[in-house]
Amino acid sequence: MSTFKAPKGTYDLIPPASATYLAVRDAIATPLRRSGYGYIETPGFENVELFARGVGESTDIVTKEMYTLTTKGGDELALRPEGTASVLRAALEANLHKAGSLPVKLWYSGSYYRYERPQKGRYRHFSQVGAEAIGAEDPALDAELIILAHDAYRSLGLRNFRILLNSLGDAECRPVYRAALQDFLRGLDLDEDTRRRIDINPLRVLDDKRDAVQKQLAGAPLLRDYLCDGCREYHARVRELITAQGVVFEDDVKLVRGLDYYTRTTFEFVHDGLGSQSAVGGGGRYDGLSEMIGGPALPSVGWALGVDRTVLALEAEGVRLDLPDATSVFAVPLGEEARKVLFGLVGELRKEGVAADFAYGGKGLKAAMKAANRSGARYAIVAGERDLAEGVVQLKDMESGEQESVPLTKIVTTIQSKLG
Ligand code: AMP
């Protein structure tokens, strides 16, 4: 072991488990790719002000959880705690909203950083795949995103997840609700910290996980009862559209989520096998965010799904993904001449798209066969001087143990047809 360990709250993705993470990212991206979403990649850090304004000065993410740094040049940067603000910043900077028709549909995949108290499912470095549809107000777009996330989870074989849905209102009706909620909250018996929250971000108080607080919230006014006609109709359309595609959801009138920028549609995907960190993904509409970061009015909607927690959800449900073999063929040369020939053959197989590996390090037959076994290869190719003199190699089926002699000139096609 080296003197160093991965920093607290982080872990390394190593084979073979890492293959599952790649497959999860791919499964989430696949429905997006066939729905008109283009891939975007932004830097791992941004100007700290982007998140302060975009995510919200009063959120835990900004006040407590950001990794911030001052560069030698005096720039104030933050490791990105989430994707939406960066993606919107990049889209505005590249004028994507002016370049073609709206919405601009983008997807991304990457690392995010939050200084949180580590526990199972909550890390300081984690991975998300996200999607944003920028510049259109259309219930069908909200519905599309919810359906695509649902399809992604289903394609992975997950069953025990639930979709929670709510509307957070808009600039017209939310302030009225906010004032009513503040009135109600001020009459409760709450600690100093929570009282302060009533002034800055009263909706977040609804999110408080403590029993003593939740008990007092029983009679709290609900945003549902304050929605303006526009928001109510919009929400009804979203519900209708996802229901029509057979996607089941639950209305959660208290769902507010931890970021300030959400308006109207808000949703979360939760998995019941994960304990306290049950949210596997979430998102919603953020009609005001573009203006908050200095852009034009661009009503938008998006989500981010957590890769780490999706993998935990697969484990909780006992789902094993059908992953392609890392190695299909493993070459075991006996002697110098055979090393040259089989090394060339491995190159040829790879060019033909066959996953092939080689017994490196001059191993003897026994150690080389052990390596072939460990690699998970379906077939081993073994050849020594006598085989080569006859123009053949031995092809060993690693499952049945059967071995046959195959002419060197036919080995590539033979393997291809055997692997189908
Ligand atoms: P959020 O931006 O907080 O809505 O997060 C979206 C998704 O990212 C969550 O549903 C989680 O799956 C994942 N996520 C957020 N924070 C963490 C974390 N600290 N560790 C692992 N996954 C996280």
Side-chain angles (χ1 to χ4, degrees):
M1 206 163 91
S2 95
T3 334
F4 301 104
K5 284 186 156 186
K8 185 175 173 191
T10 72
Y11 63 101
D12 304 305
L13 288 182
I14 48 177
S18 51
T20 304
Y21 284 75
L22 281 182
V24 165
R25 288 194 186 110
D26 213 45
I28 300 173
T30 298
L32 297 169
R33 285 204 194 97
R34 31 171 207 254
S35 309
Y37 290 75
Y39 180 67
I40 183 167
E41 210 167 299
T42 64
F45 50 83
E46 296 274 352
N47 192 312
V48 71
E49 196 55 28
L50 173 70
F51 301 118
R53 281 207 242 162
V55 179
E57 306 263 19
S58 65
T59 59
D60 284 351
I61 293 181
V62 169
T63 54
K64 299 184 194 151
E65 298 169 5
M66 272 206 297
Y67 282 88
T68 54
L69 63 133
T70 308
T71 66
K72 291 194 181 77
D75 293 331
E76 302 283 342
L77 302 177
L79 298 187
R80 58 185 180 185
E82 60 101 47
T84 304
S86 317
V87 167
L88 189 56
R89 192 270 308 140
L92 290 170
E93 190 170 333
N95 277 319
L96 294 185
H97 58 298
K98 293 182 188 158
S101 53
L102 296 173
V104 176
K105 301 209 283 188
L106 302 166
W107 75 274
Y108 58 88
S109 172
S111 292
Y112 296 85
Y113 309 86
R114 293 183 194 172
Y115 190 74
E116 296 193 85
R117 197 172 49 75
Q119 65 178 95
K120 186 167 187 204
R122 189 164 70 192
Y123 310 106
R124 292 181 171 176
H125 164 263
F126 57 97
S127 168
Q128 291 182 338
V129 177
E132 315 290 348
I134 298 164
E137 198 179 58
D138 183 342
L141 202 52
D142 307 41
E144 168 173 287
L145 279 160
I146 294 171
I147 292 164
L148 292 175
H150 169 271
D151 291 352
Y153 287 137
R154 274 300 169 94
S155 77
L156 283 164
L158 286 175
R159 292 289 172 269
N160 302 338
F161 64 87
R162 293 180 290 130
I163 303 174
L164 309 180
L165 185 67
N166 194 18
S167 171
L168 291 181
D170 63 7
E172 190 191 324
C173 55
R174 191 147 89 205
V176 183
Y177 170 69
R178 193 174 187 270
L181 181 63
Q182 281 174 323
D183 271 355
F184 172 85
L185 295 174
R186 288 196 180 109
L188 303 183
D189 177 24
L190 300 166
D191 58 277
E192 195 61 26
D193 237 21
T194 314
R195 296 207 148 270
R196 219 168 304 128
R197 197 170 266 175
I198 298 176
D199 295 322
I200 8 182
N201 199 344
L203 269 71
R204 284 301 310 282
V205 180
L206 298 177
D207 225 8
D208 202 305
K209 302 280 185 284
R210 292 170 297 182
D211 276 352
V213 178
Q214 276 304 326
K215 266 199 200 108
Q216 299 189 66
L217 291 174
L222 294 175
L223 187 45
R224 183 183 56 191
D225 302 323
Y226 286 76
L227 292 182
C228 59
D229 288 346
C231 285
R232 194 168 301 135
E233 269 159 42
Y234 195 95
H235 199 53
R237 293 284 299 137
V238 174
R239 300 172 85 249
E240 218 173 86
L241 287 162
I242 56 179
T243 305
Q245 295 211 13
V247 172
V248 178
F249 61 88
E250 295 167 25
D251 290 305
D252 182 349
V253 290
K254 286 199 180 149
L255 180 69
V256 293
R257 298 182 38 75
L259 294 78
D260 271 359
Y261 52 59
Y262 287 110
T263 49
R264 291 195 165 170
T265 313
T266 299
F267 51 87
E268 204 153 82
F269 287 77
V270 293
H271 192 278
D272 293 323
L274 296 188
S276 67
Q277 300 305 314
S278 63
V280 285
R285 181 156 277 286
Y286 49 94
D287 292 344
L289 179 59
S290 173
E291 285 148 299
M292 281 186 215
I293 63 169
L298 282 173
S300 307
V301 55
W303 51 239
L305 310 188
V307 176
D308 312 76
R309 287 188 201 164
T310 302
V311 171
L312 291 174
L314 289 170
E315 283 167 13
E317 282 196 41
V319 178
R320 285 184 70 92
L321 299 181
D322 191 14
L323 301 172
D325 290 336
T327 303
S328 301
V329 179
F330 198 95
V332 176
L334 305 171
E336 252 340 280
E337 188 53 29
R339 288 188 78 73
K340 265 188 240 158
V341 175
L342 291 199
F343 186 69
L345 179 58
V346 162
E348 223 179 299
L349 284 165
R350 289 172 180 169
K351 282 194 194 99
E352 292 299 326
V354 176
D357 207 352
F358 185 76
Y360 290 102
K363 294 183 183 69
L365 178 63
K366 208 169 147 202
M369 287 312 289
K370 211 170 179 181
N373 234 328
R374 285 218 183 101
S375 77
R378 185 81 177 72
Y379 297 97
I381 298 174
V382 187
E385 241 121 85
R386 204 176 324 144
D387 298 305
L388 294 180
E390 288 171 23
V392 299
V393 294
Q394 303 303 318
L395 184 62
K396 181 170 180 181
D397 184 321
M398 299 297 284
E399 265 169 37
S400 67
E402 277 165 30
Q403 192 165 307
E404 60 180 308
S405 199
V406 178
L408 201 46
T409 49
K410 294 218 175 96
I411 186 69
V412 175
T413 49
T414 306
I415 283 172
Q416 279 176 317
S417 73
K418 278 182 187 287
L419 289 173

mmCIF file of all heavy atoms in Angstrom, residues 39-67:
data_model
loop_
_atom_site.group_PDB
_atom_site.id
_atom_site.type_symbol
_atom_site.label_atom_id
_atom_site.label_comp_id
_atom_site.label_asym_id
_atom_site.label_seq_id
_atom_site.Cartn_x
_atom_site.Cartn_y
_atom_site.Cartn_z
ATOM 1 N N TYR A 39 -24.300 16.288 -26.613
ATOM 2 C CA TYR A 39 -23.380 16.165 -25.469
ATOM 3 C C TYR A 39 -22.649 17.474 -25.191
ATOM 4 O O TYR A 39 -22.126 18.109 -26.107
ATOM 5 C CB TYR A 39 -22.367 15.055 -25.770
ATOM 6 C CG TYR A 39 -21.371 14.855 -24.661
ATOM 7 C CD1 TYR A 39 -21.772 14.373 -23.428
ATOM 8 C CD2 TYR A 39 -20.023 15.160 -24.846
ATOM 9 C CE1 TYR A 39 -20.857 14.195 -22.402
ATOM 10 C CE2 TYR A 39 -19.106 14.973 -23.834
ATOM 11 C CZ TYR A 39 -19.532 14.493 -22.613
ATOM 12 O OH TYR A 39 -18.639 14.314 -21.603
ATOM 13 N N ILE A 40 -22.593 17.861 -23.943
ATOM 14 C CA ILE A 40 -21.838 19.065 -23.551
ATOM 15 C C ILE A 40 -20.908 18.726 -22.390
ATOM 16 O O ILE A 40 -21.243 17.901 -21.529
ATOM 17 C CB ILE A 40 -22.778 20.232 -23.168
ATOM 18 C CG1 ILE A 40 -21.971 21.499 -22.843
ATOM 19 C CG2 ILE A 40 -23.699 19.874 -22.000
ATOM 20 C CD1 ILE A 40 -22.797 22.757 -22.764
ATOM 21 N N GLU A 41 -19.719 19.336 -22.404
ATOM 22 C CA GLU A 41 -18.770 19.142 -21.312
ATOM 23 C C GLU A 41 -18.289 20.519 -20.881
ATOM 24 O O GLU A 41 -17.896 21.320 -21.718
ATOM 25 C CB GLU A 41 -17.605 18.292 -21.846
ATOM 26 C CG GLU A 41 -16.963 17.450 -20.789
ATOM 27 C CD GLU A 41 -16.034 16.382 -21.370
ATOM 28 O OE1 GLU A 41 -16.485 15.517 -22.134
ATOM 29 O OE2 GLU A 41 -14.847 16.441 -21.039
ATOM 30 N N THR A 42 -18.333 20.778 -19.608
ATOM 31 C CA THR A 42 -17.888 22.079 -19.090
ATOM 32 C C THR A 42 -16.779 21.824 -18.067
ATOM 33 O O THR A 42 -16.605 20.689 -17.615
ATOM 34 C CB THR A 42 -19.061 22.843 -18.425
ATOM 35 O OG1 THR A 42 -19.498 22.091 -17.295
ATOM 36 C CG2 THR A 42 -20.219 23.047 -19.383
ATOM 37 N N PRO A 43 -16.034 22.872 -17.680
ATOM 38 C CA PRO A 43 -14.925 22.649 -16.732
ATOM 39 C C PRO A 43 -15.410 22.143 -15.372
ATOM 40 O O PRO A 43 -16.563 22.344 -15.010
ATOM 41 C CB PRO A 43 -14.308 24.039 -16.576
ATOM 42 C CG PRO A 43 -14.820 24.845 -17.707
ATOM 43 C CD PRO A 43 -16.127 24.272 -18.105
ATOM 44 N N GLY A 44 -14.509 21.521 -14.648
ATOM 45 C CA GLY A 44 -14.823 21.027 -13.309
ATOM 46 C C GLY A 44 -14.923 22.137 -12.287
ATOM 47 O O GLY A 44 -15.403 21.920 -11.173
ATOM 48 N N PHE A 45 -14.481 23.337 -12.632
ATOM 49 C CA PHE A 45 -14.626 24.472 -11.714
ATOM 50 C C PHE A 45 -15.141 25.679 -12.480
ATOM 51 O O PHE A 45 -15.018 25.760 -13.700
ATOM 52 C CB PHE A 45 -13.302 24.806 -11.011
ATOM 53 C CG PHE A 45 -12.123 24.948 -11.938
ATOM 54 C CD1 PHE A 45 -11.885 26.147 -12.597
ATOM 55 C CD2 PHE A 45 -11.245 23.887 -12.139
ATOM 56 C CE1 PHE A 45 -10.792 26.288 -13.446
ATOM 57 C CE2 PHE A 45 -10.158 24.018 -12.996
ATOM 58 C CZ PHE A 45 -9.932 25.218 -13.652
ATOM 59 N N GLU A 46 -15.770 26.569 -11.729
ATOM 60 C CA GLU A 46 -16.371 27.785 -12.308
ATOM 61 C C GLU A 46 -16.134 28.929 -11.339
ATOM 62 O O GLU A 46 -15.774 28.717 -10.181
ATOM 63 C CB GLU A 46 -17.889 27.610 -12.460
ATOM 64 C CG GLU A 46 -18.349 26.531 -13.425
ATOM 65 C CD GLU A 46 -18.446 26.998 -14.880
ATOM 66 O OE1 GLU A 46 -18.299 28.225 -15.141
ATOM 67 O OE2 GLU A 46 -18.652 26.132 -15.748
ATOM 68 N N ASN A 47 -16.406 30.114 -11.820
ATOM 69 C CA ASN A 47 -16.428 31.281 -10.966
ATOM 70 C C ASN A 47 -17.421 31.033 -9.824
ATOM 71 O O ASN A 47 -18.556 30.636 -10.071
ATOM 72 C CB ASN A 47 -16.909 32.451 -11.830
ATOM 73 C CG ASN A 47 -16.708 33.772 -11.152
ATOM 74 O OD1 ASN A 47 -17.060 33.928 -9.987
ATOM 75 N ND2 ASN A 47 -16.152 34.716 -11.878
ATOM 76 N N VAL A 48 -16.994 31.260 -8.607
ATOM 77 C CA VAL A 48 -17.834 30.918 -7.452
ATOM 78 C C VAL A 48 -19.183 31.656 -7.493
ATOM 79 O O VAL A 48 -20.217 31.141 -7.067
ATOM 80 C CB VAL A 48 -17.069 31.185 -6.124
ATOM 81 C CG1 VAL A 48 -16.912 32.664 -5.852
ATOM 82 C CG2 VAL A 48 -17.718 30.493 -4.962
ATOM 83 N N GLU A 49 -19.157 32.832 -8.062
ATOM 84 C CA GLU A 49 -20.361 33.671 -8.130
ATOM 85 C C GLU A 49 -21.472 33.016 -8.965
ATOM 86 O O GLU A 49 -22.654 33.205 -8.718
ATOM 87 C CB GLU A 49 -19.956 35.035 -8.719
ATOM 88 C CG GLU A 49 -20.928 36.167 -8.529
ATOM 89 C CD GLU A 49 -21.301 36.402 -7.066
ATOM 90 O OE1 GLU A 49 -20.485 36.110 -6.157
ATOM 91 O OE2 GLU A 49 -22.425 36.865 -6.846
ATOM 92 N N LEU A 50 -21.078 32.233 -9.959
ATOM 93 C CA LEU A 50 -22.076 31.547 -10.792
ATOM 94 C C LEU A 50 -22.972 30.670 -9.923
ATOM 95 O O LEU A 50 -24.188 30.656 -10.074
ATOM 96 C CB LEU A 50 -21.381 30.690 -11.860
ATOM 97 C CG LEU A 50 -22.312 29.782 -12.685
ATOM 98 C CD1 LEU A 50 -23.202 30.598 -13.619
ATOM 99 C CD2 LEU A 50 -21.512 28.754 -13.474
ATOM 100 N N PHE A 51 -22.356 29.936 -8.997
ATOM 101 C CA PHE A 51 -23.149 29.051 -8.144
ATOM 102 C C PHE A 51 -23.872 29.838 -7.059
ATOM 103 O O PHE A 51 -24.993 29.512 -6.694
ATOM 104 C CB PHE A 51 -22.273 27.959 -7.533
ATOM 105 C CG PHE A 51 -21.593 27.104 -8.558
ATOM 106 C CD1 PHE A 51 -20.217 27.062 -8.644
ATOM 107 C CD2 PHE A 51 -22.347 26.369 -9.466
ATOM 108 C CE1 PHE A 51 -19.588 26.276 -9.605
ATOM 109 C CE2 PHE A 51 -21.730 25.585 -10.431
ATOM 110 C CZ PHE A 51 -20.337 25.537 -10.501
ATOM 111 N N ALA A 52 -23.207 30.870 -6.523
ATOM 112 C CA ALA A 52 -23.851 31.675 -5.491
ATOM 113 C C ALA A 52 -25.151 32.249 -6.046
ATOM 114 O O ALA A 52 -26.198 32.191 -5.408
ATOM 115 C CB ALA A 52 -22.920 32.793 -5.038
ATOM 116 N N ARG A 53 -25.082 32.754 -7.271
ATOM 117 C CA ARG A 53 -26.291 33.325 -7.866
ATOM 118 C C ARG A 53 -27.218 32.258 -8.403
ATOM 119 O O ARG A 53 -28.425 32.326 -8.271
ATOM 120 C CB ARG A 53 -25.901 34.252 -9.021
ATOM 121 C CG ARG A 53 -25.435 35.594 -8.532
ATOM 122 C CD ARG A 53 -25.692 36.638 -9.580
ATOM 123 N NE ARG A 53 -24.436 37.216 -10.015
ATOM 124 C CZ ARG A 53 -24.280 37.891 -11.131
ATOM 125 N NH1 ARG A 53 -25.298 38.037 -11.965
ATOM 126 N NH2 ARG A 53 -23.120 38.408 -11.436
ATOM 127 N N GLY A 54 -26.627 31.273 -9.056
ATOM 128 C CA GLY A 54 -27.435 30.275 -9.758
ATOM 129 C C GLY A 54 -28.076 29.260 -8.833
ATOM 130 O O GLY A 54 -29.240 28.926 -8.984
ATOM 131 N N VAL A 55 -27.316 28.757 -7.865
ATOM 132 C CA VAL A 55 -27.876 27.735 -6.984
ATOM 133 C C VAL A 55 -28.613 28.392 -5.824
ATOM 134 O O VAL A 55 -29.651 27.907 -5.373
ATOM 135 C CB VAL A 55 -26.756 26.801 -6.453
ATOM 136 C CG1 VAL A 55 -27.318 25.755 -5.519
ATOM 137 C CG2 VAL A 55 -26.037 26.132 -7.611
ATOM 138 N N GLY A 56 -28.102 29.556 -5.361
ATOM 139 C CA GLY A 56 -28.796 30.294 -4.317
ATOM 140 C C GLY A 56 -27.942 30.517 -3.092
ATOM 141 O O GLY A 56 -27.410 29.565 -2.538
ATOM 142 N N GLU A 57 -27.829 31.781 -2.691
ATOM 143 C CA GLU A 57 -27.001 32.171 -1.541
ATOM 144 C C GLU A 57 -27.449 31.498 -0.246
ATOM 145 O O GLU A 57 -26.685 31.371 0.685
ATOM 146 C CB GLU A 57 -27.081 33.695 -1.316
ATOM 147 C CG GLU A 57 -26.750 34.528 -2.527
ATOM 148 C CD GLU A 57 -25.313 35.007 -2.515
ATOM 149 O OE1 GLU A 57 -24.492 34.434 -1.793
ATOM 150 O OE2 GLU A 57 -25.029 35.974 -3.254
ATOM 151 N N SER A 58 -28.720 31.111 -0.199
ATOM 152 C CA SER A 58 -29.254 30.613 1.075
ATOM 153 C C SER A 58 -29.272 29.089 1.133
ATOM 154 O O SER A 58 -29.721 28.513 2.109
ATOM 155 C CB SER A 58 -30.667 31.133 1.272
ATOM 156 O OG SER A 58 -31.503 30.598 0.268
ATOM 157 N N THR A 59 -28.771 28.436 0.108
ATOM 158 C CA THR A 59 -28.834 26.972 0.125
ATOM 159 C C THR A 59 -27.639 26.379 0.874
ATOM 160 O O THR A 59 -26.584 26.994 0.970
ATOM 161 C CB THR A 59 -28.802 26.408 -1.311
ATOM 162 O OG1 THR A 59 -27.592 26.856 -1.938
ATOM 163 C CG2 THR A 59 -29.983 26.889 -2.121
ATOM 164 N N ASP A 60 -27.816 25.167 1.367
ATOM 165 C CA ASP A 60 -26.709 24.466 2.036
ATOM 166 C C ASP A 60 -25.555 24.274 1.066
ATOM 167 O O ASP A 60 -24.388 24.363 1.449
ATOM 168 C CB ASP A 60 -27.174 23.091 2.530
ATOM 169 C CG ASP A 60 -28.016 23.217 3.788
ATOM 170 O OD1 ASP A 60 -28.075 24.337 4.338
ATOM 171 O OD2 ASP A 60 -28.620 22.216 4.203
ATOM 172 N N ILE A 61 -25.898 23.990 -0.192
ATOM 173 C CA ILE A 61 -24.841 23.739 -1.182
ATOM 174 C C ILE A 61 -23.878 24.920 -1.234
ATOM 175 O O ILE A 61 -22.660 24.740 -1.187
ATOM 176 C CB ILE A 61 -25.453 23.468 -2.581
ATOM 177 C CG1 ILE A 61 -26.219 22.149 -2.567
ATOM 178 C CG2 ILE A 61 -24.376 23.477 -3.664
ATOM 179 C CD1 ILE A 61 -26.837 21.765 -3.900
ATOM 180 N N VAL A 62 -24.420 26.122 -1.295
ATOM 181 C CA VAL A 62 -23.560 27.303 -1.424
ATOM 182 C C VAL A 62 -22.950 27.718 -0.083
ATOM 183 O O VAL A 62 -21.764 28.026 0.000
ATOM 184 C CB VAL A 62 -24.336 28.468 -2.077
ATOM 185 C CG1 VAL A 62 -23.561 29.774 -1.969
ATOM 186 C CG2 VAL A 62 -24.637 28.137 -3.535
ATOM 187 N N THR A 63 -23.728 27.681 0.985
ATOM 188 C CA THR A 63 -23.200 28.190 2.253
ATOM 189 C C THR A 63 -22.250 27.215 2.935
ATOM 190 O O THR A 63 -21.317 27.620 3.613
ATOM 191 C CB THR A 63 -24.332 28.541 3.243
ATOM 192 O OG1 THR A 63 -25.168 27.382 3.387
ATOM 193 C CG2 THR A 63 -25.161 29.706 2.746
ATOM 194 N N LYS A 64 -22.472 25.909 2.767
ATOM 195 C CA LYS A 64 -21.672 24.963 3.543
ATOM 196 C C LYS A 64 -20.877 23.969 2.712
ATOM 197 O O LYS A 64 -19.912 23.392 3.179
ATOM 198 C CB LYS A 64 -22.598 24.128 4.454
ATOM 199 C CG LYS A 64 -23.387 24.923 5.449
ATOM 200 C CD LYS A 64 -24.171 23.972 6.347
ATOM 201 C CE LYS A 64 -25.236 24.699 7.147
ATOM 202 N NZ LYS A 64 -26.370 23.822 7.448
ATOM 203 N N GLU A 65 -21.327 23.679 1.504
ATOM 204 C CA GLU A 65 -20.805 22.479 0.850
ATOM 205 C C GLU A 65 -19.865 22.725 -0.326
ATOM 206 O O GLU A 65 -19.360 21.774 -0.911
ATOM 207 C CB GLU A 65 -21.982 21.610 0.375
ATOM 208 C CG GLU A 65 -22.844 21.124 1.537
ATOM 209 C CD GLU A 65 -24.152 20.495 1.096
ATOM 210 O OE1 GLU A 65 -24.371 20.347 -0.123
ATOM 211 O OE2 GLU A 65 -24.948 20.157 1.978
ATOM 212 N N MET A 66 -19.620 23.965 -0.688
ATOM 213 C CA MET A 66 -18.781 24.181 -1.865
ATOM 214 C C MET A 66 -17.298 24.123 -1.536
ATOM 215 O O MET A 66 -16.865 24.620 -0.501
ATOM 216 C CB MET A 66 -19.110 25.528 -2.508
ATOM 217 C CG MET A 66 -20.240 25.413 -3.510
ATOM 218 S SD MET A 66 -20.175 26.673 -4.766
ATOM 219 C CE MET A 66 -20.372 28.143 -3.814
ATOM 220 N N TYR A 67 -16.547 23.519 -2.425
ATOM 221 C CA TYR A 67 -15.088 23.564 -2.343
ATOM 222 C C TYR A 67 -14.659 24.830 -3.091
ATOM 223 O O TYR A 67 -14.756 24.888 -4.319
ATOM 224 C CB TYR A 67 -14.476 22.352 -3.046
ATOM 225 C CG TYR A 67 -14.538 21.078 -2.248
ATOM 226 C CD1 TYR A 67 -15.651 20.244 -2.326
ATOM 227 C CD2 TYR A 67 -13.480 20.698 -1.433
ATOM 228 C CE1 TYR A 67 -15.702 19.055 -1.605
ATOM 229 C CE2 TYR A 67 -13.522 19.519 -0.717
ATOM 230 C CZ TYR A 67 -14.631 18.703 -0.795
ATOM 231 O OH TYR A 67 -14.678 17.533 -0.089
#
